Amino acid sequence: MAQFDVYENQGEGKNLYPYFIDIQNPLFERLNERIVVPLTALSNLKPIRHLHPLIRIQNHQYVLMTNLLTSVSATQLRHEPVLNADIHRADVVAALDLLVMGI
């Protein structure tokens, strides 16, 4: 598992949130849980600028639902990631800063 890996959601809610992005730093890879943010199709909502960055996955736009930050068991992310979204690192970190710090 790498930070910013995007995984297909294979659990409940996969129709609304088909992907998760793993945002947890590798320093804590030995923990049993991973901090993730769900992604939803752009057609499901009007994103809030800076809070909801867009990520393209398989030619479709998905919204990073930063305000739905959660944790999942690391066992839920044992399958191959769809992609690594490290190219969006600055936008993801800025969205987290906005949500938590208001900046």
Side-chain angles (χ1 to χ4, degrees):
M1 284 178 251
Q3 189 175 38
F4 302 110
D5 273 353
V6 175
Y7 293 90
E8 188 175 347
N9 180 0
Q10 297 181 339
E12 291 183 31
K14 64 182 172 185
N15 291 331
L16 187 56
Y17 305 108
Y19 299 101
F20 289 115
I21 184 170
D22 180 350
I23 62 167
Q24 190 165 308
N25 190 285
L27 183 62
F28 301 103
E29 67 184 30
R30 295 186 63 174
L31 296 176
N32 293 327
E33 294 78 24
R34 301 294 295 176
I35 303 299
V36 299
V37 179
L39 292 109
T40 193
L42 179 58
S43 60
N44 288 335
L45 78 149
K46 182 174 169 53
I48 298 172
R49 200 173 97 159
H50 301 300
L51 183 63
H52 298 131
L54 300 179
I55 296 177
R56 182 171 291 282
I57 303 171
Q58 299 174 352
N59 293 321
H60 292 75
Q61 290 278 52
Y62 290 89
V63 180
L64 183 76
M65 297 300 297
T66 312
N67 53 300
L68 298 181
L69 176 76
T70 191
S71 65
V72 297
S73 170
T75 59
Q76 289 183 264
L77 305 178
R78 292 285 183 223
H79 52 286
E80 277 297 309
V82 176
L83 63 92
N84 184 277
D86 190 64
I87 192 168
H88 299 285
R89 172 186 292 271
D91 291 337
V92 172
V93 171
L96 291 166
D97 280 345
L98 180 60
L99 179 66
V100 176
M101 304 302 291
I103 56 170

